[in-house]
Coordinates of all heavy atoms in Angstrom, one line a residue:
R21 N -8.5 5.5 -17.5 CA -8.2 5.8 -16.1 C -6.8 6.5 -15.9 O -6.7 7.3 -15.1 CB -8.2 4.5 -15.3 CG -9.6 4.0 -15.1 CD -9.5 2.8 -14.1 NE -9.6 1.6 -14.8 CZ -9.6 0.4 -14.3 NH1 -9.4 0.3 -13.0 NH2 -9.7 -0.7 -15.0
H22 N -5.9 6.1 -16.7 CA -4.5 6.7 -16.7 C -4.6 8.2 -16.9 O -4.0 8.9 -16.1 CB -3.6 6.0 -17.7 CG -2.3 6.5 -17.7 ND1 -1.3 6.2 -16.7 CD2 -1.6 7.3 -18.6 CE1 -0.2 6.8 -17.0 NE2 -0.4 7.5 -18.1
E23 N -5.3 8.6 -17.9 CA -5.4 10.0 -18.2 C -6.2 10.8 -17.1 O -5.8 11.9 -16.7 CB -6.2 10.3 -19.5 CG -5.4 9.8 -20.7 CD -6.1 9.9 -22.0 OE1 -7.3 10.4 -22.0 OE2 -5.6 9.4 -23.0
Y24 N -7.2 10.2 -16.5 CA -7.9 10.8 -15.4 C -7.0 11.0 -14.2 O -7.0 12.0 -13.6 CB -9.2 10.0 -15.0 CG -9.9 10.5 -13.8 CD1 -10.6 11.6 -13.8 CD2 -9.7 9.8 -12.6 CE1 -11.3 12.1 -12.7 CE2 -10.4 10.3 -11.5 CZ -11.1 11.4 -11.5 OH -11.7 11.9 -10.4
Y25 N -6.3 9.9 -13.9 CA -5.4 10.0 -12.7 C -4.4 11.1 -12.8 O -4.2 11.8 -11.9 CB -4.7 8.6 -12.6 CG -3.8 8.5 -11.4 CD1 -4.2 8.3 -10.1 CD2 -2.4 8.6 -11.6 CE1 -3.4 8.2 -9.1 CE2 -1.5 8.5 -10.6 CZ -2.0 8.3 -9.3 OH -1.1 8.2 -8.3
H26 N -3.8 11.2 -14.0 CA -2.8 12.3 -14.2 C -3.4 13.7 -14.4 O -2.7 14.6 -14.3 CB -1.9 11.9 -15.4 CG -1.0 10.8 -15.1 ND1 0.1 11.0 -14.3 CD2 -1.0 9.5 -15.5 CE1 0.7 9.8 -14.2 NE2 0.1 8.9 -14.9
S27 N -4.7 13.8 -14.6 CA -5.3 15.1 -14.7 C -5.6 15.7 -13.3 O -5.9 16.9 -13.2 CB -6.6 15.0 -15.5 OG -7.6 14.3 -14.8
L28 N -5.6 14.9 -12.2 CA -5.9 15.3 -10.9 C -4.7 16.1 -10.3 O -3.5 15.7 -10.5 CB -6.2 14.2 -10.0 CG -7.5 13.4 -10.4 CD1 -7.6 12.2 -9.5 CD2 -8.7 14.3 -10.3
S29 N -5.0 17.1 -9.5 CA -3.9 17.8 -8.8 C -3.4 17.0 -7.7 O -4.1 16.0 -7.2 CB -4.5 19.1 -8.3 OG -5.4 18.9 -7.2
T30 N -2.3 17.3 -7.2 CA -1.7 16.6 -6.0 C -2.6 16.7 -4.8 O -2.8 15.7 -4.1 CB -0.3 17.3 -5.7 OG1 0.5 17.2 -6.8 CG2 0.4 16.5 -4.5
L31 N -3.2 17.8 -4.6 CA -4.2 18.0 -3.5 C -5.4 17.1 -3.6 O -5.8 16.4 -2.7 CB -4.6 19.5 -3.4 CG -5.6 19.8 -2.2 CD1 -5.0 19.4 -0.9 CD2 -6.0 21.2 -2.2
S32 N -5.9 17.0 -4.9 CA -7.1 16.1 -5.1 C -6.7 14.7 -4.9 O -7.4 13.9 -4.2 CB -7.5 16.2 -6.6 OG -8.1 17.5 -6.8
L33 N -5.5 14.3 -5.3 CA -5.0 12.9 -5.1 C -4.9 12.6 -3.6 O -5.3 11.5 -3.1 CB -3.7 12.6 -5.8 CG -3.8 12.5 -7.4 CD1 -2.5 12.5 -8.0 CD2 -4.7 11.3 -7.7
A34 N -4.3 13.6 -2.9 CA -4.1 13.4 -1.4 C -5.5 13.2 -0.7 O -5.6 12.4 0.2 CB -3.3 14.5 -0.9
N35 N -6.5 14.0 -1.1 CA -7.8 13.9 -0.5 C -8.5 12.6 -0.8 O -9.1 12.0 0.0 CB -8.7 15.1 -1.0 CG -8.3 16.4 -0.3 OD1 -7.7 16.4 0.7 ND2 -8.5 17.5 -1.0
I36 N -8.3 12.1 -2.1 CA -8.9 10.8 -2.5 C -8.2 9.7 -1.6 O -8.9 8.8 -1.1 CB -8.7 10.6 -4.0 CG1 -9.6 11.5 -4.7 CG2 -9.0 9.1 -4.3 CD1 -9.4 11.6 -6.2
E37 N -6.9 9.8 -1.5 CA -6.2 8.8 -0.8 C -6.6 8.8 0.7 O -6.8 7.7 1.3 CB -4.7 9.1 -0.9 CG -3.8 8.0 -0.4 CD -2.3 8.4 -0.7 OE1 -1.9 9.5 -0.8 OE2 -1.5 7.4 -0.8
K38 N -6.7 10.0 1.3 CA -7.2 10.0 2.7 C -8.5 9.4 2.9 O -8.8 8.7 3.9 CB -7.2 11.5 3.2 CG -5.9 12.1 3.5 CD -6.1 13.5 4.0 CE -4.7 14.2 4.2 NZ -4.9 15.6 4.6
K39 N -9.5 9.7 2.0 CA -10.8 9.2 2.1 C -10.8 7.7 1.9 O -11.5 6.9 2.7 CB -11.8 9.8 1.1 CG -13.2 9.2 1.1 CD -14.2 10.0 0.6 CE -15.6 9.4 0.6 NZ -15.9 8.4 1.5
F40 N -10.0 7.2 1.0 CA -9.9 5.7 0.8 C -9.4 5.0 2.1 O -9.9 4.0 2.5 CB -9.0 5.5 -0.4 CG -8.6 4.0 -0.5 CD1 -9.5 3.1 -1.0 CD2 -7.3 3.6 -0.1 CE1 -9.2 1.7 -1.1 CE2 -7.0 2.2 -0.2 CZ -7.9 1.3 -0.7
I41 N -8.4 5.6 2.7 CA -7.8 5.0 3.9 C -8.8 5.0 5.0 O -9.0 4.0 5.7 CB -6.5 5.7 4.3 CG1 -5.4 5.4 3.2 CG2 -6.0 5.3 5.7 CD1 -4.1 6.2 3.4
T42 N -9.5 6.2 5.2 CA -10.5 6.3 6.2 C -11.6 5.3 6.0 O -12.0 4.6 7.0 CB -11.1 7.7 6.3 OG1 -10.1 8.6 6.5 CG2 -12.2 7.8 7.3
D43 N -12.1 5.2 4.8 CA -13.2 4.2 4.5 C -12.7 2.8 4.7 O -13.4 1.9 5.3 CB -13.7 4.3 3.0 CG -14.4 5.6 2.8 OD1 -14.8 6.3 3.8 OD2 -14.7 6.0 1.6
L44 N -11.5 2.5 4.3 CA -10.9 1.1 4.5 C -10.8 0.7 5.9 O -11.2 -0.3 6.3 CB -9.5 1.1 3.8 CG -8.9 -0.3 3.8 CD1 -9.6 -1.3 2.9 CD2 -7.4 -0.2 3.3
L45 N -10.3 1.7 6.7 CA -10.1 1.4 8.2 C -11.4 1.2 8.9 O -11.4 0.7 10.0 CB -9.2 2.4 8.8 CG -7.7 2.4 8.3 CD1 -7.0 3.5 9.0 CD2 -7.1 1.0 8.7
S46 N -12.5 1.7 8.3 CA -13.8 1.6 9.0 C -14.4 0.2 8.8 O -15.4 -0.2 9.4 CB -14.8 2.7 8.5 OG -15.2 2.4 7.2
L47 N -13.9 -0.6 7.9 CA -14.4 -2.0 7.7 C -14.1 -2.9 8.9 O -13.1 -2.7 9.6 CB -13.7 -2.6 6.4 CG -14.0 -1.9 5.1 CD1 -13.1 -2.5 4.0 CD2 -15.5 -2.0 4.7
P48 N -15.1 -3.8 9.2 CA -15.0 -4.6 10.4 C -13.6 -5.4 10.5 O -13.1 -5.6 11.6 CB -16.1 -5.6 10.2 CG -17.1 -4.9 9.4 CD -16.3 -4.0 8.5
M49 N -13.1 -5.8 9.4 CA -11.8 -6.6 9.4 C -10.6 -5.8 9.9 O -9.6 -6.4 10.3 CB -11.5 -7.1 8.0 CG -11.1 -6.1 7.0 SD -10.9 -6.7 5.3 CE -9.4 -7.7 5.5
F50 N -10.8 -4.5 10.0 CA -9.7 -3.6 10.5 C -9.9 -3.2 11.9 O -9.2 -2.3 12.4 CB -9.5 -2.4 9.5 CG -8.9 -2.8 8.2 CD1 -9.7 -3.0 7.1 CD2 -7.6 -3.1 8.0 CE1 -9.2 -3.3 5.9 CE2 -7.1 -3.5 6.8 CZ -7.9 -3.6 5.7
L51 N -10.8 -3.7 12.6 CA -11.1 -3.3 14.0 C -10.1 -3.9 15.0 O -10.0 -3.5 16.1 CB -12.5 -3.6 14.4 CG -13.6 -2.9 13.6 CD1 -15.0 -3.3 14.0 CD2 -13.4 -1.4 13.7
S52 N -9.5 -5.0 14.6 CA -8.5 -5.7 15.5 C -7.1 -5.5 14.9 O -6.8 -6.1 13.9 CB -8.9 -7.2 15.6 OG -7.8 -7.8 16.3
P53 N -6.3 -4.8 15.6 CA -4.9 -4.5 15.1 C -4.0 -5.7 15.2 O -2.8 -5.6 14.7 CB -4.4 -3.4 15.9 CG -5.1 -3.5 17.2 CD -6.5 -4.0 16.9
A54 N -4.4 -6.8 15.7 CA -3.5 -8.0 15.8 C -3.6 -8.8 14.5 O -3.7 -10.0 14.5 CB -3.9 -8.8 17.0
Q55 N -3.4 -8.1 13.4 CA -3.5 -8.8 12.1 C -2.3 -8.5 11.3 O -1.7 -7.5 11.4 CB -4.7 -8.3 11.3 CG -6.1 -8.7 12.0 CD -7.2 -8.3 11.1 OE1 -7.1 -8.3 9.9 NE2 -8.3 -7.8 11.7
I56 N -2.0 -9.4 10.3 CA -1.0 -9.1 9.3 C -1.7 -8.8 8.0 O -2.6 -9.5 7.6 CB -0.1 -10.4 9.1 CG1 0.6 -10.7 10.5 CG2 0.9 -10.1 8.0 CD1 1.3 -12.1 10.4
I57 N -1.3 -7.7 7.4 CA -1.9 -7.2 6.2 C -0.9 -7.4 5.1 O 0.2 -6.9 5.1 CB -2.3 -5.7 6.3 CG1 -3.2 -5.5 7.5 CG2 -2.9 -5.3 5.0 CD1 -4.6 -6.1 7.4
G58 N -1.3 -8.1 4.0 CA -0.5 -8.3 2.8 C -0.8 -7.1 1.9 O -1.9 -6.8 1.7
C59 N 0.2 -6.4 1.5 CA 0.0 -5.3 0.6 C 1.1 -5.3 -0.4 O 2.1 -6.1 -0.4 CB 0.2 -4.0 1.5 SG -0.4 -2.5 0.7
Y60 N 1.0 -4.4 -1.4 CA 2.1 -4.2 -2.3 C 2.7 -2.8 -2.2 O 2.0 -1.9 -1.8 CB 1.7 -4.5 -3.8 CG 0.8 -3.4 -4.4 CD1 1.4 -2.4 -5.1 CD2 -0.6 -3.5 -4.2 CE1 0.6 -1.4 -5.7 CE2 -1.4 -2.5 -4.8 CZ -0.8 -1.5 -5.5 OH -1.6 -0.5 -6.1
Y61 N 3.9 -2.6 -2.5 CA 4.6 -1.3 -2.4 C 4.5 -0.7 -3.9 O 5.1 -1.3 -4.8 CB 6.0 -1.4 -1.9 CG 6.6 -0.1 -1.5 CD1 6.7 0.2 -0.2 CD2 7.2 0.7 -2.4 CE1 7.3 1.4 0.2 CE2 7.8 1.9 -2.1 CZ 7.8 2.2 -0.7 OH 8.4 3.4 -0.3
S62 N 3.8 0.3 -4.1 CA 3.6 0.8 -5.4 C 4.9 1.4 -6.0 O 5.8 1.9 -5.3 CB 2.5 1.9 -5.5 OG 2.9 2.9 -4.6
V63 N 5.0 1.1 -7.3 CA 6.2 1.7 -8.1 C 5.6 2.3 -9.4 O 4.5 2.0 -9.8 CB 7.2 0.6 -8.5 CG1 7.9 0.1 -7.2 CG2 6.6 -0.5 -9.2
R64 N 6.4 3.2 -9.9 CA 6.1 3.9 -11.1 C 4.6 4.5 -11.0 O 4.4 5.3 -10.2 CB 6.2 3.0 -12.3 CG 7.7 2.6 -12.5 CD 7.8 1.7 -13.8 NE 8.9 0.8 -13.7 CZ 8.9 -0.4 -13.0 NH1 7.8 -0.7 -12.3 NH2 9.9 -1.2 -13.0
E65 N 3.8 4.1 -11.9 CA 2.4 4.7 -12.0 C 1.3 3.9 -11.4 O 0.2 4.1 -11.7 CB 2.1 5.0 -13.4 CG 3.1 6.1 -14.0 CD 2.8 6.5 -15.4 OE1 1.7 6.2 -15.9 OE2 3.6 7.2 -16.0
E66 N 1.7 3.0 -10.5 CA 0.7 2.2 -9.8 C 0.0 3.1 -8.7 O 0.5 4.1 -8.3 CB 1.3 1.0 -9.1 CG 1.9 0.0 -10.0 CD 2.6 -1.1 -9.3 OE1 3.1 -0.9 -8.2 OE2 2.6 -2.2 -9.9
V67 N -1.2 2.7 -8.3 CA -1.9 3.4 -7.2 C -1.0 3.5 -6.0 O -0.4 2.5 -5.6 CB -3.2 2.7 -6.9 CG1 -3.9 3.4 -5.7 CG2 -4.1 2.7 -8.1
P68 N -0.8 4.7 -5.5 CA 0.1 4.9 -4.3 C -0.3 4.1 -3.1 O -1.5 4.2 -2.8 CB 0.1 6.4 -4.1 CG -0.6 7.0 -5.2 CD -1.4 6.0 -5.9
T69 N 0.6 3.4 -2.5 CA 0.2 2.6 -1.3 C 1.0 3.0 0.0 O 0.7 2.5 1.1 CB 0.4 1.1 -1.5 OG1 1.8 0.9 -1.9 CG2 -0.5 0.6 -2.6
L70 N 2.0 3.9 -0.2 CA 2.9 4.2 1.0 C 2.1 4.8 2.1 O 2.3 4.4 3.3 CB 4.0 5.1 0.6 CG 5.0 5.5 1.7 CD1 5.6 4.2 2.3 CD2 6.1 6.4 1.2
R71 N 1.2 5.7 1.9 CA 0.4 6.3 3.0 C -0.4 5.3 3.7 O -0.6 5.3 4.9 CB -0.4 7.5 2.5 CG -1.1 8.2 3.7 CD -1.8 9.5 3.2 NE -0.8 10.4 2.7 CZ -1.1 11.5 2.1 NH1 -2.3 11.9 1.9 NH2 -0.1 12.3 1.7
L72 N -1.0 4.4 2.9 CA -1.8 3.3 3.5 C -0.9 2.4 4.3 O -1.3 2.1 5.5 CB -2.5 2.5 2.3 CG -3.2 1.2 2.8 CD1 -4.4 1.5 3.7 CD2 -3.7 0.4 1.6
I73 N 0.2 2.0 3.9 CA 1.2 1.2 4.6 C 1.5 1.9 5.9 O 1.5 1.3 7.0 CB 2.4 0.9 3.8 CG1 2.0 -0.1 2.7 CG2 3.5 0.3 4.7 CD1 3.1 -0.3 1.6
Q74 N 1.8 3.2 5.8 CA 2.2 3.9 7.0 C 1.1 4.0 8.0 O 1.3 3.8 9.2 CB 2.7 5.4 6.7 CG 3.9 5.4 5.9 CD 4.2 6.8 5.3 OE1 3.3 7.5 5.0 NE2 5.5 7.1 5.1
T75 N -0.1 4.3 7.6 CA -1.3 4.4 8.4 C -1.6 3.0 9.1 O -1.8 3.0 10.3 CB -2.5 4.8 7.6 OG1 -2.2 6.1 7.1 CG2 -3.7 5.0 8.5
L76 N -1.6 1.9 8.3 CA -1.8 0.6 8.9 C -0.8 0.3 10.0 O -1.1 -0.3 11.0 CB -1.9 -0.4 7.8 CG -3.1 -0.4 6.9 CD1 -2.9 -1.3 5.7 CD2 -4.4 -0.7 7.6
S77 N 0.5 0.6 9.7 CA 1.5 0.3 10.6 C 1.3 1.1 11.9 O 1.5 0.6 13.0 CB 2.9 0.7 10.0 OG 3.9 0.4 10.9
Q78 N 0.9 2.4 11.8 CA 0.7 3.2 13.0 C -0.5 2.7 13.8 O -0.6 2.9 15.0 CB 0.4 4.7 12.5 CG 1.7 5.4 12.0 CD 1.3 6.7 11.3 OE1 0.2 7.0 11.1 NE2 2.4 7.4 10.9
Q79 N -1.4 2.0 13.1 CA -2.6 1.5 13.8 C -2.3 0.1 14.5 O -3.2 -0.4 15.1 CB -3.8 1.3 12.8 CG -4.3 2.6 12.2 CD -5.1 3.3 13.1 OE1 -5.8 2.8 14.0 NE2 -5.1 4.7 13.1
G80 N -1.1 -0.3 14.3 CA -0.7 -1.6 15.0 C -0.7 -2.8 14.1 O -0.5 -3.9 14.6
F81 N -1.0 -2.7 12.8 CA -1.0 -3.8 11.9 C 0.4 -4.2 11.5 O 1.3 -3.3 11.3 CB -1.8 -3.6 10.7 CG -3.3 -3.4 11.0 CD1 -3.9 -2.2 11.2 CD2 -4.1 -4.5 11.0 CE1 -5.2 -2.0 11.5 CE2 -5.5 -4.4 11.3 CZ -6.0 -3.2 11.5
Q82 N 0.7 -5.4 11.3 CA 2.0 -5.9 10.7 C 1.7 -5.9 9.2 O 0.7 -6.3 8.7 CB 2.3 -7.3 11.2 CG 2.7 -7.4 12.6 CD 3.1 -8.8 13.0 OE1 2.2 -9.6 13.0 NE2 4.3 -9.0 13.2
I83 N 2.7 -5.3 8.5 CA 2.6 -5.3 7.0 C 3.6 -6.3 6.4 O 4.7 -6.4 6.9 CB 3.0 -3.9 6.5 CG1 2.2 -2.8 7.2 CG2 2.9 -3.8 5.0 CD1 0.7 -2.8 7.0
A84 N 3.1 -7.0 5.4 CA 3.9 -8.0 4.7 C 3.8 -7.7 3.2 O 2.8 -7.5 2.7 CB 3.3 -9.4 5.0
L85 N 5.0 -7.5 2.6 CA 5.1 -7.3 1.2 C 5.6 -8.5 0.5 O 6.3 -9.3 1.0 CB 6.1 -6.1 1.0 CG 5.8 -4.8 1.6 CD1 6.9 -3.8 1.2 CD2 4.5 -4.3 1.2
P86 N 5.1 -8.7 -0.8 CA 5.5 -9.9 -1.5 C 6.9 -9.8 -2.1 O 7.4 -8.7 -2.4 CB 4.5 -9.9 -2.7 CG 4.1 -8.5 -2.9 CD 4.2 -7.8 -1.5
R87 N 7.6 -10.9 -2.2 CA 8.8 -11.0 -2.9 C 8.6 -12.0 -4.0 O 8.2 -13.1 -3.8 CB 9.9 -11.5 -1.9 CG 11.3 -11.6 -2.6 CD 12.4 -12.0 -1.6 NE 12.5 -11.0 -0.6 CZ 13.0 -11.2 0.6 NH1 13.3 -12.4 1.0 NH2 13.1 -10.2 1.5
V88 N 8.9 -11.6 -5.2 CA 8.7 -12.5 -6.4 C 10.0 -13.2 -6.6 O 11.1 -12.6 -6.7 CB 8.3 -11.6 -7.6 CG1 8.1 -12.6 -8.8 CG2 7.1 -10.8 -7.3
H89 N 9.9 -14.5 -6.7 CA 11.1 -15.3 -7.0 C 11.3 -15.6 -8.5 O 10.4 -15.4 -9.2 CB 11.0 -16.6 -6.1 CG 10.9 -16.3 -4.7 ND1 12.0 -16.0 -3.9 CD2 9.9 -16.3 -3.9 CE1 11.7 -15.8 -2.7 NE2 10.3 -15.9 -2.6
E90 N 12.4 -16.1 -8.8 CA 12.7 -16.4 -10.3 C 11.7 -17.4 -10.9 O 11.4 -17.3 -12.1 CB 14.1 -17.0 -10.4 CG 15.2 -16.0 -10.2 CD 16.6 -16.5 -10.4 OE1 16.7 -17.6 -11.1 OE2 17.5 -15.8 -10.0
D91 N 11.1 -18.3 -10.1 CA 10.1 -19.2 -10.6 C 8.7 -18.6 -10.6 O 7.7 -19.3 -10.8 CB 10.2 -20.5 -9.9 CG 9.8 -20.4 -8.4 OD1 9.5 -19.2 -7.9 OD2 9.7 -21.4 -7.7
A92 N 8.6 -17.3 -10.3 CA 7.3 -16.5 -10.3 C 6.5 -16.8 -9.0 O 5.4 -16.4 -8.9 CB 6.5 -16.8 -11.5
S93 N 7.0 -17.6 -8.1 CA 6.3 -17.8 -6.8 C 6.5 -16.5 -6.0 O 7.4 -15.7 -6.1 CB 6.8 -19.0 -6.1 OG 8.2 -18.8 -5.7
L94 N 5.6 -16.4 -5.0 CA 5.6 -15.2 -4.1 C 5.8 -15.7 -2.7 O 5.2 -16.8 -2.3 CB 4.3 -14.5 -4.1 CG 3.9 -13.7 -5.4 CD1 2.5 -13.1 -5.2 CD2 4.9 -12.6 -5.6
T95 N 6.5 -15.0 -1.9 CA 6.5 -15.2 -0.4 C 6.4 -13.8 0.1 O 6.8 -12.8 -0.5 CB 7.9 -15.8 0.1 OG1 9.0 -15.0 -0.4 CG2 8.0 -17.2 -0.4
F96 N 5.8 -13.7 1.3 CA 5.5 -12.4 2.0 C 6.5 -12.3 3.1 O 6.7 -13.2 3.9 CB 4.1 -12.3 2.4 CG 3.1 -12.0 1.3 CD1 2.7 -13.0 0.4 CD2 2.7 -10.7 1.0 CE1 1.8 -12.7 -0.6 CE2 1.9 -10.4 0.0 CZ 1.4 -11.4 -0.9
H97 N 7.0 -11.0 3.3 CA 8.0 -10.7 4.3 C 7.5 -9.5 5.1 O 7.1 -8.5 4.5 CB 9.3 -10.5 3.7 CG 9.8 -11.7 3.0 ND1 10.6 -12.7 3.6 CD2 9.6 -12.2 1.7 CE1 10.8 -13.7 2.7 NE2 10.2 -13.4 1.6
E98 N 7.8 -9.5 6.4 CA 7.4 -8.3 7.2 C 8.1 -7.1 6.7 O 9.3 -7.1 6.3 CB 7.7 -8.6 8.6 CG 7.2 -7.6 9.6 CD 7.3 -7.9 11.0 OE1 7.8 -9.0 11.3 OE2 6.9 -7.1 11.9
F99 N 7.4 -6.0 6.7 CA 7.9 -4.7 6.3 C 7.5 -3.6 7.3 O 6.4 -3.6 7.8 CB 7.4 -4.3 4.9 CG 7.8 -3.0 4.4 CD1 9.0 -2.7 3.9 CD2 6.9 -1.9 4.5 CE1 9.4 -1.5 3.4 CE2 7.3 -0.6 4.1 CZ 8.5 -0.4 3.5
H100 N 8.4 -2.7 7.6 CA 8.1 -1.5 8.4 C 8.4 -0.3 7.6 O 9.4 -0.3 6.9 CB 9.0 -1.5 9.7 CG 8.8 -2.7 10.5 ND1 9.6 -3.8 10.5 CD2 7.8 -3.0 11.4 CE1 9.2 -4.7 11.3 NE2 8.1 -4.3 11.9
P101 N 7.6 0.8 7.7 CA 7.9 2.0 6.9 C 9.3 2.4 7.3 O 9.7 2.4 8.4 CB 6.8 3.0 7.5 CG 5.7 2.1 7.8 CD 6.3 0.8 8.4
G102 N 10.1 2.8 6.3 CA 11.5 3.2 6.4 C 12.4 2.0 6.1 O 13.6 2.3 5.9
D103 N 11.9 0.8 6.1 CA 12.8 -0.3 5.6 C 13.2 -0.1 4.2 O 12.5 0.5 3.4 CB 12.1 -1.7 5.7 CG 11.9 -2.2 7.1 OD1 12.4 -1.6 8.0 OD2 11.2 -3.2 7.3
S104 N 14.4 -0.5 3.8 CA 14.8 -0.4 2.4 C 14.2 -1.6 1.6 O 14.0 -2.6 2.1 CB 16.4 -0.4 2.3 OG 16.9 -1.7 2.8
L105 N 14.0 -1.3 0.4 CA 13.5 -2.3 -0.6 C 14.5 -2.6 -1.6 O 15.3 -1.7 -2.0 CB 12.2 -1.8 -1.2 CG 11.0 -1.5 -0.4 CD1 9.9 -0.8 -1.2 CD2 10.5 -2.7 0.3
Q106 N 14.5 -3.8 -2.1 CA 15.3 -4.2 -3.3 C 14.4 -4.5 -4.4 O 13.6 -5.5 -4.3 CB 16.2 -5.4 -2.9 CG 17.1 -5.7 -4.0 CD 18.1 -6.9 -3.6 OE1 18.0 -7.4 -2.5 NE2 18.9 -7.3 -4.5
M107 N 14.6 -3.8 -5.5 CA 13.8 -4.1 -6.7 C 14.5 -5.1 -7.5 O 15.7 -5.1 -7.7 CB 13.6 -2.8 -7.5 CG 12.8 -1.7 -6.8 SD 11.1 -2.1 -6.6 CE 10.5 -2.0 -8.3
T108 N 13.7 -6.1 -8.1 CA 14.2 -7.0 -9.0 C 13.4 -6.9 -10.3 O 12.3 -6.4 -10.3 CB 14.0 -8.5 -8.5 OG1 12.7 -8.7 -8.2 CG2 14.9 -8.7 -7.2
S109 N 14.1 -7.3 -11.4 CA 13.4 -7.1 -12.7 C 12.8 -8.5 -13.1 O 13.0 -9.5 -12.6 CB 14.3 -6.6 -13.7 OG 15.5 -7.4 -13.8

């Protein structure tokens, strides 16, 4: 998958991403914008999520991103596109 992903042009990736977001937003669970959506913010070579986060936010959804603690537990915190992120190792 890694090689396939990197063989695609930027335009192809953008088109795939747009279709994915359109298909996702057509699911019944996304018909009511009064929801909180847990998501991850992609880094390095993970599947890009920024456009999805931006689109969901524009649609009225609240976005929550995970914070990983030293004991490996997760808590989710509200995020708005443009907020700064702090990476931990």
